[in-house]
Protein backbone atom coordinates (compact mmCIF):
# COMPACT_ATOMS: atom_id res chain seq x y z
CA UNK A 1 0.00 0.00 0.00
CA UNK A 2 1.38 3.40 -0.95
CA UNK A 3 1.90 6.07 1.67
CA UNK A 4 -0.43 9.06 1.65
CA UNK A 5 0.94 12.28 0.18
CA UNK A 6 1.25 13.72 3.68
CA UNK A 7 3.14 10.67 4.97
CA UNK A 8 5.48 10.83 1.95
CA UNK A 9 6.19 14.49 2.66
CA UNK A 10 6.83 13.87 6.38
CA UNK A 11 9.16 10.99 5.51
CA UNK A 12 11.04 13.04 2.92
CA UNK A 13 11.60 15.85 5.43
CA UNK A 14 12.71 13.46 8.19
CA UNK A 15 15.12 11.71 5.84
CA UNK A 16 16.50 15.02 4.53
CA UNK A 17 17.62 16.27 7.94
CA UNK A 18 21.09 15.80 9.36
CA UNK A 19 20.25 14.52 12.84
CA UNK A 20 23.88 14.12 13.96
CA UNK A 21 23.88 17.29 16.06
CA UNK A 22 20.16 17.51 16.85
CA UNK A 23 20.46 17.78 20.67
CA UNK A 24 22.93 20.65 20.45
CA UNK A 25 21.35 23.17 18.12
CA UNK A 26 18.11 24.50 16.72
CA UNK A 27 18.06 24.49 12.96
CA UNK A 28 15.86 25.40 10.12
CA UNK A 29 14.35 22.67 7.99
CA UNK A 30 16.98 21.24 5.68
CA UNK A 31 20.06 21.72 7.85
CA UNK A 32 23.17 19.99 6.51
CA UNK A 33 26.37 20.01 8.58
CA UNK A 34 28.53 20.01 5.46
CA UNK A 35 27.24 23.54 4.77
CA UNK A 36 28.16 24.86 8.24
CA UNK A 37 31.04 27.22 8.75
CA UNK A 38 33.84 25.82 10.96
CA UNK A 39 32.71 28.06 13.85
CA UNK A 40 29.29 26.37 13.86
CA UNK A 41 30.60 22.80 14.02
CA UNK A 42 30.29 21.19 17.42
CA UNK A 43 29.87 17.78 18.98
CA UNK A 44 28.44 15.20 16.63
CA UNK A 45 26.42 12.18 17.67
CA UNK A 46 27.74 8.77 16.69
CA UNK A 47 25.76 6.64 14.21
CA UNK A 48 23.75 4.79 16.88
CA UNK A 49 22.78 8.05 18.63
CA UNK A 50 21.89 9.72 15.31
CA UNK A 51 19.77 6.74 14.26
CA UNK A 52 17.98 6.87 17.64
CA UNK A 53 17.05 10.53 17.14
CA UNK A 54 15.79 9.80 13.61
CA UNK A 55 13.75 6.83 14.86
CA UNK A 56 12.15 8.89 17.65
CA UNK A 57 11.20 11.63 15.18
CA UNK A 58 9.76 8.95 12.86
CA UNK A 59 7.68 7.51 15.73
CA UNK A 60 6.24 10.91 16.67
CA UNK A 61 5.15 11.59 13.08
CA UNK A 62 3.94 7.98 12.66
CA UNK A 63 1.70 8.24 15.73
CA UNK A 64 -0.16 11.15 14.14
CA UNK A 65 -0.24 9.65 10.66
CA UNK A 66 -1.37 6.24 11.91
CA UNK A 67 -4.21 7.79 13.88
CA UNK A 68 -5.35 9.80 10.85
CA UNK A 69 -4.99 7.09 8.19
CA UNK A 70 -6.49 3.62 8.71
CA UNK A 71 -4.30 2.28 5.89
CA UNK A 72 -1.03 3.64 7.31
CA UNK A 73 1.94 1.26 7.12
CA UNK A 74 4.55 2.13 9.73
CA UNK A 75 7.23 -0.06 8.11
CA UNK A 76 6.84 1.62 4.74
CA UNK A 77 6.93 5.02 6.45
CA UNK A 78 10.00 4.14 8.55
CA UNK A 79 11.90 2.98 5.47
CA UNK A 80 10.96 6.18 3.63
CA UNK A 81 12.33 8.14 6.62
CA UNK A 82 15.66 6.33 6.36
CA UNK A 83 15.06 4.11 9.42
CA UNK A 84 16.35 0.54 9.21
CA UNK A 85 13.37 -1.79 9.60
CA UNK A 86 15.29 -5.09 9.51
CA UNK A 87 16.96 -7.02 12.30
CA UNK A 88 20.56 -8.20 11.91
CA UNK A 89 19.19 -11.52 10.64
CA UNK A 90 17.13 -9.79 7.93
CA UNK A 91 13.72 -10.13 9.55
CA UNK A 92 11.22 -7.34 9.98
CA UNK A 93 12.03 -5.54 13.24
CA UNK A 94 8.98 -5.72 15.52
CA UNK A 95 10.41 -2.84 17.53
CA UNK A 96 9.32 -0.45 14.79
CA UNK A 97 5.65 -1.09 15.45
CA UNK A 98 6.20 -1.51 19.20
CA UNK A 99 7.28 2.13 19.43
CA UNK A 100 3.74 3.30 18.74
CA UNK A 101 0.78 3.58 21.11
CA UNK A 102 -2.12 1.40 20.00
CA UNK A 103 -5.31 -0.06 21.41
CA UNK A 104 -5.59 -3.28 19.46
CA UNK A 105 -5.29 -2.38 15.80
CA UNK A 106 -6.09 1.33 16.29
CA UNK A 107 -3.50 4.02 16.90
CA UNK A 108 -4.18 6.00 20.04
CA UNK A 109 -5.03 9.67 19.78
CA UNK A 110 -2.00 11.93 19.40
CA UNK A 111 -1.20 13.96 22.49
CA UNK A 112 -2.86 11.51 24.89
CA UNK A 113 -1.01 8.92 26.95
CA UNK A 114 -3.63 6.21 27.45
CA UNK A 115 -1.81 3.05 28.50
CA UNK A 116 -4.95 1.14 29.49
Amino acid sequence: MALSRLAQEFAAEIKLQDWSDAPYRRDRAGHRRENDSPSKLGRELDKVETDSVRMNVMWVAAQVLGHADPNFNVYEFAEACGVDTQTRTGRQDGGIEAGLRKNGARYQQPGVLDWE
Side-chain angles (χ1 to χ4, degrees):
M1 171 110 6
L3 291 173
S4 69
R5 184 182 131 253
L6 186 59
Q8 289 174 23
E9 291 176 356
F10 268 117
E13 192 64 22
I14 291 167
K15 188 174 183 178
L16 172 73
Q17 302 303 311
D18 180 344
W19 298 102
S20 65
D21 62 352
Y24 311 113
R25 58 186 293 162
R26 295 179 184 180
D27 291 310
R28 65 191 183 281
H31 166 68
R32 305 299 304 169
R33 282 178 63 85
E34 62 265 18
N35 297 330
D36 284 350
S37 66
S39 65
K40 298 283 186 188
L41 295 176
R43 183 176 183 281
E44 187 172 325
L45 300 175
D46 65 29
K47 181 179 177 348
V48 171
E49 292 168 325
T50 300
D51 289 346
S52 293
V53 171
R54 181 182 300 105
M55 183 172 288
N56 280 300
V57 171
M58 178 276 299
W59 274 325
V60 168
Q63 188 68 42
V64 175
L65 292 167
H67 183 261
D69 179 359
N71 298 313
F72 180 71
N73 182 313
V74 68
Y75 290 97
E76 186 178 356
F77 180 67
E79 289 172 10
C81 291
V83 171
D84 186 6
T85 63
Q86 304 293 311
T87 65
R88 283 178 275 163
T89 61
R91 294 188 172 154
Q92 190 175 58
D93 185 349
I96 298 296
E97 193 166 18
L100 298 167
R101 298 182 321 277
K102 294 174 102 177
N103 279 330
R106 294 183 48 130
Y107 289 87
Q108 291 180 0
Q109 179 179 342
V112 176
L113 288 177
D114 181 12
W115 300 106
E116 299 173 4

